[in-house]
Amino acid sequence: MRIRTLTFIIESPWEGTYGDSTPDIKDGQWHMLTVTYDPTDTTIRVYTDGDQDTGDSTSVRDLSTAPLPARPVQIGGDDAGGTGNAVDAAISEVRMYSYPLTSTEIATMYTDTVANTWVCVNADDSELAAFDLNNDCRVNLPDFALVASEWLECQRIPTSSCTW
């Protein structure tokens, strides 16, 4: 089965489209894809398998003032004219909410669906992320071991300035 990437586009009367995202889902496995729009900070966020995709947070203009597009909702794509925008996969469930879901709500939906998994909901720029060197969402002994393994490494140029 051929699986394409997700493309989420909000048609806009301003400068084109917003929220175009392509998370990597071409592995033949089931994935939960979630897109939120928060009108308070005009931000679109894209999540793959309950985890927010890095770099896929796009600030957009207030969509409440935008005119209604000709096709306000399309699920599964549009392959009119052979553009290749149709989903070549199964869509098992679609949910639409009138409010933006939080990262915790999205992660909970995913972990309730997929057994024996976890999702880290800490932002990549949080203080925890700065010390979580192995990306397991915990600051623990393995992170300290990573620091200790390079404790005396020196990255100075010239190397002669590395004497202790």
Side-chain angles (χ1 to χ4, degrees), residues 4-5 33 47 65 67 70 77 97 114 116-117 120 130 133 135 141 148-149:
R4 298 176 195 260
T5 56
L33 305 172
Y47 298 79
T65 62
Y97 297 85
V114 179
N116 301 320
T117 190
C120 185
L133 302 179
N135 296 317
L141 192 55
S149 71

Side-chain angles (χ1 to χ4, degrees), residues 3-6 22-29 31 33 48-49:
I3 298 177
R4 298 176 195 260
T5 56
L6 163 75
T22 54
D24 185 15
I25 56 172
K26 299 182 226 176
D27 59 2
Q29 303 298 311
H31 292 282
L33 305 172
T48 304
D49 297 335

Side-chain angles (χ1 to χ4, degrees), residues 94-110:
V94 175
R95 298 180 189 183
M96 295 181 80
Y97 297 85
S98 60
Y99 57 90
L101 298 172
T102 65
S103 295
T104 301
E105 290 171 320
I106 293 167
T108 301
M109 273 189 224
Y110 180 71

Side-chain angles (χ1 to χ4, degrees), residues 79-91:
D79 202 11
T83 60
N85 290 329
V87 173
D88 189 9
I91 298 175

Side-chain angles (χ1 to χ4, degrees), residues 57-71:
S57 180
T58 307
S59 182
V60 300
R61 299 182 189 198
D62 184 4
L63 296 178
S64 64
T65 62
L68 193 62
R71 297 180 291 186

